[in-house]
Amino acid sequence: MVRHNNQLPDNLPQLQNLIKRDAESYREEFLQQYQHFLSVLEIFRLEPDKENKSLCESIMFLAQVAQCYVEDLKTFPQTIVDLLKTHSTTLDPEMRNTFCRALILLRNKNLISPLDLLELFFQLLRCPDKALRKFLENHIITDIKNMNAKQKDMKLNSTLQNFMYTMLKDANPKAAKMSIDIMIELYKKRIWNDAKTVNVIATVGCFSKVTKVMVASLKFFLGTDEEEEKSDEDSDKEVDLKGAMMAARVNKKTKKRKKQLEAAKKLYNQAQKKKSKAVSFNFSAVHLIHNPQGMAENLFKQLQDGNERFEVKLMHLDVISRLIGIHELFLFSFYPYITRFIQPHQRQVTRILQFAAQASHELVPPELIEPVIKTLVNNFVSERNSSDVMAIGLNACREICVRCPLAMNEDLLRDLTMYKNYKEKSVMMAAKSLILLYREQMPTLLAKKDRGRPTEASVEIKPKKYGEVQAMDHIPGTEALLNAAPALEVDEEEDEDGSDSDGNWVDVDSDDEVIEEKKKGITMIKKSKPDEEASDEEEEDEDDDGEWETDSEGGSEDIEDEEEDDEDEPEEEVEEKPEPSRKNANKKQAKKRSSNSTSIPAEQVASAGTTLTSKEAVQELALTKIFTDADFQRIEQEQIKKKMTHNSRKRQLEKEKSEFVKLDDIELIYKKRKTDKEARIESMKKGREGREKFGYKDNRHDPFCSKTNTEKRKNKNFNMIRHKARGKVKKSFREKQLALRKHLTHMKKMK
């Protein structure tokens, strides 16, 4: 009996399996199939637009066994490439997909160069086949990622990037859009995260005539916010493992719940691994642009000349403002343009205010930004508007002034600070945040009562003029290490005896003579006595032990506290005398100081000179000493102390300047938001925790005993007990009289 399904010339899968096991034994069968492929190929070239299944089967068979007969199939890959190049648009979709899969198989076996294949696939992106374009996009990204997995192939990457540069200018919008998507995806995967990729997108993609390509390029430069949102979503998903495990214990055991618990554990483990990974610092794409000034000017020109949708215009404004703020550019015509849109009724006005703040920096002339602030104040900070609009206007003024403090003049600032006593809390808090900002930046612009009690830091503040740069010749705060109590080199024998020695260490500003000379402007460095050193140490340690309390509302309560203190106490502060020291504590602290080496050795000071000013000593310390973590912690504590008033307990939070303005900083309004029904129910349930159950309390000893008829009546339908409810109505005197007469008459009859 003959088994027809085992005939090798026709059963290609079986022949393919046998060839892979023993190629030489089945060489004749392979040559027969190869001749068949050539003949079918000639037939196909006569009618390339018709589907030919026999050709597809032959091509896939030859691609599977190509590694076994490399010499015989030397021209086979190029034949398929030529077919796709010649008939890419006229081929049947199924056949075109089969040819591409065959080429990918040959690429995996290193029988075709990756550069030739990728260039072909980029050209095939012009085909009107969405499924094929998506398939090719995934392969291109995966292939380039695998080629750069162990080591980046710079030559190949450079060639592909140059080819991509031409593809972005392609007349076919679909091919250009797919090319820009591939470049952006490769940048996000940190494969092509170099400056060349960024500048190709900046110079070609952002100015493409195809709107989709232009929008994708603009979104690329605004991608940091989307990544932060994704990370926030991931952090929300990683919770509730405890809840899932508790539910698995309590609920009925089913396969579905078991799978859900395993998935929750898997997500939790992934989140823990992400947390344990080292933070990778990756520059934003905006930092890698070679010519930011030219790009900003061209984008602004494109914005003015174009007629795109409002959302696309907002993207232009966002990118331009980020370029101006990060690279500190000069684009003077941008500020009058954006001033036109600063109206409360303007659509997406908070985002426009965000762009105005992002485009502000210290090098912009104040007279350019001052009209923006005046327009903002006139249109927003007015009592004819709602409190929310006023608060948003004040917040926007604050964000602009953080980056360009000179843009605010004294008269306007004092008018805005008057809103600190406004009836609405949102406006009041926004005004106080503006006061806190100028306390740190330029306290002289504020009224005397708004400056707060002077601190060491506020006294040291020198308002900068326009374009002024304050170059530091030392590390700010290192005088804390000079003023710190020195570490004494104490031998163990002397410690046991309780005796002290001067050692080779010197102290700065610890003697009374030094304090007197410091008033004259000169600080002398002398050898100090150990007892005085110890007392200074203890005084500083007591200051350090205190806990700092921070205010979540930006230190607005500090303003109220300080205003009250200013009324009660005089401006002059009396120096407190140090408390007496303890010897044992002094010696332990001295040992710790010596191990951390926070003081200057005497030999080192002698080499620098016997007498040094405080400034010279700080410079000498920065040049000769390697600071430890303890030293930096001490410097930070001293800097915080400088910002503290004498009796203040709360730290005033300084507004730090960041690269991008967060929309929440402008839209933040201090008021109680309206909650939905679910939030109200949840708050009610939280309030019931830890208290007795509400309802009727009968004070029974046994809660399971029977109930009275009166209690049962409460759960009955009213129609059942309506006749009894009537009886509860009190009778009138006349009704009682008639009832009694009726009763007496009835009794007489009974007799």
Side-chain angles (χ1 to χ4, degrees):
M1 182 178 177
V2 180
R3 299 177 64 182
H4 296 283
N5 56 354
N6 283 337
Q7 292 179 354
L8 290 179
D10 299 328
N11 196 343
L12 293 181
Q14 187 181 12
L15 180 60
Q16 170 186 319
N17 185 24
L18 294 172
I19 288 174
K20 287 180 179 179
R21 292 183 180 183
D22 188 1
E24 291 299 325
S25 301
Y26 295 92
R27 187 176 184 82
E28 294 181 4
E29 286 81 354
F30 161 73
L31 293 173
Q32 184 179 353
Q33 290 296 329
Y34 185 60
Q35 293 298 325
H36 176 68
F37 160 73
L38 295 175
S39 60
V40 174
L41 182 61
E42 293 298 326
I43 298 171
F44 166 76
R45 282 173 175 164
L46 298 175
E47 295 179 337
D49 56 339
K50 291 187 178 180
E51 185 179 4
N52 193 330
K53 291 185 178 180
S54 178
L55 179 62
C56 293
E57 291 175 358
S58 298
I59 286 176
M60 289 303 296
F61 167 75
L62 294 176
Q64 289 285 354
V65 299
Q67 74 276 14
C68 300
Y69 308 102
V70 178
E71 292 297 326
D72 296 325
L73 297 176
K74 190 180 292 184
T75 59
F76 175 67
Q78 190 61 38
T79 304
I80 303 177
V81 170
D82 294 339
L83 283 175
L84 285 171
K85 283 183 177 180
T86 309
H87 309 290
S88 59
T89 55
T90 58
L91 273 173
D92 181 75
E94 289 295 329
M95 293 189 69
R96 188 166 49 214
N97 197 355
T98 303
F99 291 175
C100 292
R101 291 181 183 277
L103 287 174
I104 291 173
L105 276 174
L106 296 172
R107 162 72 187 94
N108 294 337
K109 296 171 182 178
N110 293 324
L111 298 177
I112 185 173
S113 65
L115 186 60
D116 295 340
L117 183 62
L118 291 175
E119 286 184 359
L120 171 66
F121 283 175
F122 276 121
Q123 293 174 5
L124 290 178
L125 294 176
R126 301 188 183 97
C127 296
D129 188 352
K130 186 176 181 180
L132 178 69
R133 290 198 303 270
K134 192 67 180 173
F135 172 72
L136 294 178
E137 180 189 2
N138 293 333
H139 171 72
I140 290 169
I141 293 171
T142 306
D143 197 21
I144 296 175
K145 181 181 177 181
N146 293 336
M147 286 189 290
N148 293 276
K150 295 182 180 179
Q151 187 177 2
K152 287 194 175 183
D153 191 344
M154 301 305 296
K155 185 177 180 181
L156 178 65
N157 289 338
S158 179
T159 308
L160 287 174
Q161 284 171 344
N162 293 332
F163 183 75
M164 189 83 75
Y165 187 85
T166 59
M167 285 297 299
L168 290 177
K169 297 180 180 179
D170 197 273
N172 191 329
K174 294 179 180 177
K177 176 63 169 64
M178 194 64 72
S179 301
I180 196 73
D181 289 343
I182 291 170
M183 290 190 75
I184 292 172
E185 189 64 28
L186 289 171
Y187 182 88
K188 288 180 179 178
K189 291 182 179 292
R190 299 181 185 178
I191 300 165
W192 285 3
N193 57 346
D194 54 347
K196 185 173 183 180
T197 305
V198 174
N199 285 279
V200 166
I201 298 173
T203 55
V204 182
C206 291
F207 304 101
S208 175
K209 294 181 180 179
V210 182
T211 305
K212 288 186 176 181
V213 176
M214 180 181 63
V215 169
S217 303
L218 293 174
K219 281 184 177 179
F220 168 69
F221 290 106
L222 305 174
T224 52
D225 296 336
E226 296 176 3
E227 291 173 4
E228 288 176 2
E229 289 175 5
K230 288 180 182 177
S231 63
D232 293 340
E233 291 174 2
D234 294 340
S235 62
D236 293 340
K237 289 179 182 177
E238 66 182 54
V239 270
D240 223 12
L241 178 64
K242 290 183 179 179
M245 293 181 72
M246 183 60 69
R249 284 185 192 174
V250 177
N251 295 337
K252 186 178 178 182
K253 276 54 175 184
T254 60
K255 289 184 179 180
K256 182 180 179 181
R257 284 176 180 152
K258 187 178 179 182
K259 288 180 181 178
Q260 289 175 349
L261 180 62
E262 290 175 356
K265 287 181 178 179
K266 191 175 180 181
L267 285 173
Y268 179 78
N269 292 332
Q270 289 175 356
Q272 293 300 320
K273 285 180 181 178
K274 284 182 182 178
K275 286 181 180 178
S276 61
K277 282 184 180 178
V279 181
S280 58
F281 297 97
N282 192 17
F283 284 103
S284 173
V286 184
H287 293 84
L288 301 176
I289 297 172
H290 291 325
N291 184 16
Q293 181 71 42
M295 180 180 177
E297 291 175 357
N298 293 332
L299 279 175
F300 188 63
K301 185 180 179 183
Q302 180 174 275
L303 172 64
Q304 290 179 310
D305 297 342
N307 191 20
E308 299 290 345
R309 301 191 317 272
F310 180 70
E311 291 79 7
V312 180
K313 288 184 178 180
L314 285 180
M315 288 182 189
H316 278 83
L317 289 173
D318 200 353
V319 175
I320 294 168
S321 64
R322 291 193 182 198
L323 287 169
I324 294 172
I326 291 174
H327 295 280
E328 296 186 344
L329 308 177
F330 293 104
L331 191 63
F332 295 158
S333 55
F334 177 79
Y335 303 99
Y337 179 83
I338 204 169
T339 305
R340 296 183 298 170
F341 301 100
I342 300 179
Q343 299 287 342
H345 61 270
Q346 172 66 46
R347 186 161 48 129
Q348 298 283 335
V349 68
T350 53
R351 291 195 63 194
I352 293 171
L353 296 176
Q354 179 190 15
F355 305 152
Q358 280 179 171
S360 306
H361 56 85
E362 292 181 350
L363 298 181
V364 178
E367 55 269 16
L368 281 176
I369 304 183
E370 193 172 350
V372 179
I373 293 181
K374 285 185 177 179
T375 305
L376 176 60
V377 171
N378 292 334
N379 294 341
F380 282 78
V381 190
S382 174
E383 294 188 4
R384 66 176 180 270
N385 295 326
S386 65
S387 59
D388 291 357
V389 174
M390 294 172 69
I392 287 172
L394 287 169
N395 288 339
C397 287
R398 183 195 67 232
E399 292 300 321
I400 293 173
C401 295
V402 167
R403 289 152 180 82
C404 188
L406 295 172
M408 181 74 71
N409 59 51
E410 186 175 354
D411 295 334
L412 181 59
L413 179 60
R414 295 198 177 185
D415 289 343
L416 294 179
T417 54
M418 297 295 289
Y419 286 100
K420 68 179 182 180
N421 299 321
Y422 196 71
K423 57 185 178 181
E424 294 290 340
K425 187 177 180 182
S426 58
V427 180
M428 178 186 67
M429 297 299 294
K432 287 185 177 182
S433 67
L434 190 63
I435 294 173
L436 281 178
L437 169 66
Y438 273 91
R439 279 188 183 179
E440 299 289 341
Q441 300 280 353
M442 302 173 69
T444 54
L445 292 183
L446 293 168
K448 190 173 182 181
K449 62 180 180 180
D450 293 331
R451 295 175 192 172
R453 185 170 297 159
T455 62
E456 291 183 34
S458 64
V459 171
E460 293 176 0
I461 291 175
K462 295 180 181 179
K464 291 193 296 184
K465 298 178 182 178
Y466 173 70
E468 182 183 357
V469 178
Q470 294 179 353
M472 303 298 294
D473 54 0
H474 66 282
I475 300 174
T478 48
E479 58 269 12
L481 303 181
L482 294 173
N483 297 333
L488 300 177
E489 290 182 340
V490 183
D491 297 332
E492 293 181 0
E493 297 177 359
E494 293 178 347
D495 286 345
E496 292 173 359
D497 298 337
S499 61
D500 298 329
S501 63
D502 291 343
N504 294 325
W505 296 90
V506 297
D507 188 19
V508 182
D509 296 347
S510 61
D511 210 334
D512 294 335
E513 297 177 5
V514 179
I515 297 173
E516 292 176 2
E517 293 182 3
K518 189 176 181 182
K519 294 178 182 177
K520 300 176 184 178
I522 301 173
T523 304
M524 309 291 291
I525 301 178
K526 296 183 178 181
K527 288 192 176 182
S528 60
K529 298 176 183 179
D531 291 337
E532 294 173 353
E533 292 173 352
S535 63
D536 289 340
E537 278 182 15
E538 185 173 0
E539 183 183 353
E540 289 167 0
D541 289 341
E542 286 177 357
D543 292 339
D544 296 343
D545 290 338
E547 296 181 357
W548 300 103
E549 297 180 6
T550 57
D551 188 6
S552 60
E553 295 180 352
S556 60
E557 295 182 7
D558 291 344
I559 298 177
E560 299 171 2
D561 296 341
E562 289 174 5
E563 287 175 356
E564 294 173 0
D565 293 341
D566 290 341
E567 295 175 359
D568 300 338
E569 298 180 7
E571 293 182 358
E572 297 180 358
E573 296 179 4
V574 182
E575 295 182 359
E576 294 183 358
K577 296 181 180 179
E579 295 181 4
S581 59
R582 301 187 188 96
K583 277 192 174 183
N584 295 334
N586 296 342
K587 293 171 186 175
K588 291 179 181 178
Q589 291 168 1
K591 286 183 180 180
K592 291 179 182 177
R593 301 280 181 175
S594 62
S595 62
N596 292 334
S597 66
T598 55
S599 303
I600 311 172
E603 298 173 358
Q604 182 179 330
V605 175
S607 63
T610 54
T611 58
L612 292 172
T613 63
S614 178
K615 186 176 180 181
E616 291 174 351
V618 167
Q619 292 175 358
E620 183 69 21
L621 184 63
L623 292 172
T624 57
K625 178 175 170 52
I626 299 174
F627 295 126
T628 61
D629 291 342
D631 296 338
F632 283 113
Q633 188 176 4
R634 176 70 185 171
I635 290 171
E636 186 180 358
Q637 289 177 358
E638 195 68 22
Q639 293 294 90
I640 292 172
K641 280 184 185 179
K642 286 184 179 180
K643 298 178 183 179
M644 299 295 296
T645 56
H646 188 59
N647 293 326
S648 177
R649 294 183 180 178
K650 296 180 181 178
R651 187 171 76 189
Q652 297 178 4
L653 301 178
E654 182 180 356
K655 180 69 179 175
E656 295 182 359
K657 182 176 69 174
S658 59
E659 286 186 349
F660 304 124
V661 179
K662 294 182 180 178
L663 198 59
D664 293 341
D665 292 341
I666 294 176
E667 294 180 346
L668 184 62
I669 297 172
Y670 292 93
K671 71 174 185 179
K672 193 173 182 180
R673 300 284 185 183
K674 290 184 179 180
T675 55
D676 54 355
K677 185 177 179 181
E678 294 179 357
R680 291 198 299 272
I681 292 173
E682 186 178 355
S683 64
M684 287 166 57
K685 289 180 178 178
K686 285 184 179 178
R688 292 174 183 172
E689 292 177 358
R691 75 179 191 188
E692 296 181 6
K693 190 177 180 182
F694 57 90
Y696 176 75
K697 298 178 183 178
D698 52 7
N699 298 323
R700 298 181 183 179
H701 295 291
D702 184 7
F704 301 104
C705 65
S706 60
K707 296 182 179 180
T708 61
N709 290 335
T710 306
E711 292 172 351
K712 291 177 180 176
R713 196 179 300 162
K714 291 181 179 180
N715 296 327
K716 289 182 180 179
N717 191 359
F718 181 71
N719 290 330
M720 297 171 63
I721 58 172
R722 184 167 55 179
H723 61 285
K724 292 190 177 182
R726 283 178 186 169
K728 289 184 179 180
V729 181
K730 288 185 177 181
K731 295 179 180 180
S732 64
F733 179 76
R734 178 62 180 164
E735 288 175 342
K736 289 179 181 178
Q737 199 176 27
L738 293 173
L740 179 60
R741 184 179 297 172
K742 185 179 178 181
H743 174 67
L744 292 174
T745 306
H746 179 69
M747 292 297 291
K748 285 180 181 180
K749 288 180 180 180
M750 291 295 292
K751 290 179 179 179

